[in-house]
Amino acid sequence: MTILETQGLKKVYGSGETAVHALRGVDLRVENGEFVAVVGTSGSGKSTLLHMLGGLDRPTEGTVRVDGQDLFALKDEALTIFRRRRIGFVFQSYNLVPMLSVYENIVLPIQLDGARVDEAFVGEVIAALGLDRRLRALPNQLSGGQQQRVAIARALAAKPAIVLADEPTGNLDSRTSQDVLGLMKVTGRRFGQTMVMITHNEEIAQTADRTVRIEDGRIVAG
Ligand code: ADP
Ligand code: MG
């Protein structure tokens, strides 16, 4: 089953002579459970693509469907709700809430949605990411790698249709990056979670089910 599909996706920033064509017509399909790595040089359009896939910014042209829903047919408020329920994000900056404990951060999106926490499932995710002993800690008591593992747990906890990650290890040293990326991949597999991840890490990219290469706003391979 196709869980994510874009058609003719274009994004232009600015206009006239200073216009930047960040995406020049991207058609991408991701099947349920797939782990896709997106690679490309700096400025090639990776983050722009991820923002469109997650409904964080509207394209200039084209469509994005997530689990059958045309994202940009939704008004802002409905899009926000859809995103919270169906899309998990992991960014380079972990974006944890400093006053909340590890556990509270992990279940926050579920609680914001007024939904019930599936404690058994969340417990499994926490264990898979090796966070069991740190549940009461505050983010600033954790290492960078641990903070990113919390962000990954938070992204998985609501059982989203898709998890989108933009250079999730951009702030980590290479050893920790390997650990975190490896865990993310293994955890995704274990829970059958569809993931699209931007990465510079060629090793991880090669272990993905598929690598999509972007150059100058176009998919050139994958
Ligand atoms: P990548 O993530 O592959 O490094 P980006 O998607 O961030 O690439 O950027 C693609 C192009 O769009 C670059 O030329 C970048 O400078 C430009 N760009 C990205 N975001 C904006 C923005 N908000 N306003 C103007 N130009 C932007
Ligand atoms: Mg980027």
Side-chain angles (χ1 to χ4, degrees), residues 13 20 22 41-48:
Y13 292 110
V20 175
T41 55
S42 178
S44 57
K46 303 181 300 295
S47 292
T48 300

Side-chain angles (χ1 to χ4, degrees), residues 6-23:
T6 76
Q7 280 179 338
L9 205 59
K10 295 186 182 173
K11 180 67 177 181
V12 184
Y13 292 110
S15 60
E17 285 187 7
T18 58
V20 175
H21 294 260
L23 294 180

Side-chain angles (χ1 to χ4, degrees), residues 179-206:
D179 292 349
V180 169
L181 288 173
L183 262 178
M184 186 161 169
K185 198 189 119 191
V186 167
T187 318
R189 284 261 152 82
R190 159 125 177 245
F191 298 110
Q193 178 65 62
T194 314
M195 289 191 179
V196 177
M197 175 165 72
I198 295 174
T199 180
H200 271 118
N201 189 312
E202 285 290 337
E203 246 177 272
I204 286 289
Q206 277 161 22

Side-chain angles (χ1 to χ4, degrees), residues 5-198:
E5 184 171 18
T6 76
Q7 280 179 338
L9 205 59
K10 295 186 182 173
K11 180 67 177 181
V12 184
Y13 292 110
S15 60
E17 285 187 7
T18 58
V20 175
H21 294 260
L23 294 180
R24 299 172 183 269
V26 169
D27 299 307
L28 175 67
R29 236 174 204 268
V30 176
E31 301 301 315
N32 201 12
E34 240 188 326
F35 171 55
V36 176
V38 177
V39 297
T41 55
S42 178
S44 57
K46 303 181 300 295
S47 292
T48 300
L49 175 62
L50 208 86
H51 288 158
M52 306 291 136
L53 299 183
L56 292 171
D57 194 8
R58 290 180 185 266
T60 309
E61 257 182 67
T63 57
V64 175
R65 281 182 183 276
V66 174
D67 203 12
Q69 174 65 52
D70 179 350
L71 291 190
F72 302 108
L74 298 172
K75 295 209 172 102
D76 285 349
E77 200 177 329
L79 179 55
T80 301
I81 292 169
F82 183 86
R83 209 165 46 218
R84 196 151 68 210
R85 288 192 184 152
R86 307 298 293 142
I87 304 175
F89 292 96
V90 181
F91 295 109
Q92 185 171 331
S93 51
Y94 323 115
N95 295 347
L96 302 177
V97 180
M99 303 86 74
L100 297 182
S101 70
V102 163
Y103 180 79
E104 288 164 341
N105 267 284
I106 292 170
V107 298
L108 183 64
I110 303 172
Q111 290 178 336
L112 284 175
D113 192 37
R116 198 183 65 83
V117 175
D118 180 342
E119 295 288 354
F121 178 76
V122 171
E124 276 188 58
V125 169
I126 286 168
L129 288 161
L131 292 167
D132 331 44
R133 292 166 187 272
R134 304 314 314 263
L135 290 179
R136 291 195 200 176
L138 292 172
N140 69 10
Q141 297 172 311
L142 303 179
S143 68
Q146 287 172 328
Q147 289 186 62
Q148 194 58 303
R149 283 190 270 142
V150 175
I152 294 166
R154 177 181 58 188
L156 292 166
K159 303 179 189 167
I162 188 154
V163 168
L164 303 173
D166 191 349
E167 301 280 5
T169 59
N171 284 331
L172 303 174
D173 62 62
S174 68
R175 167 93 194 275
T176 310
S177 296
Q178 288 296 345
D179 292 349
V180 169
L181 288 173
L183 262 178
M184 186 161 169
K185 198 189 119 191
V186 167
T187 318
R189 284 261 152 82
R190 159 125 177 245
F191 298 110
Q193 178 65 62
T194 314
M195 289 191 179
V196 177
M197 175 165 72
I198 295 174

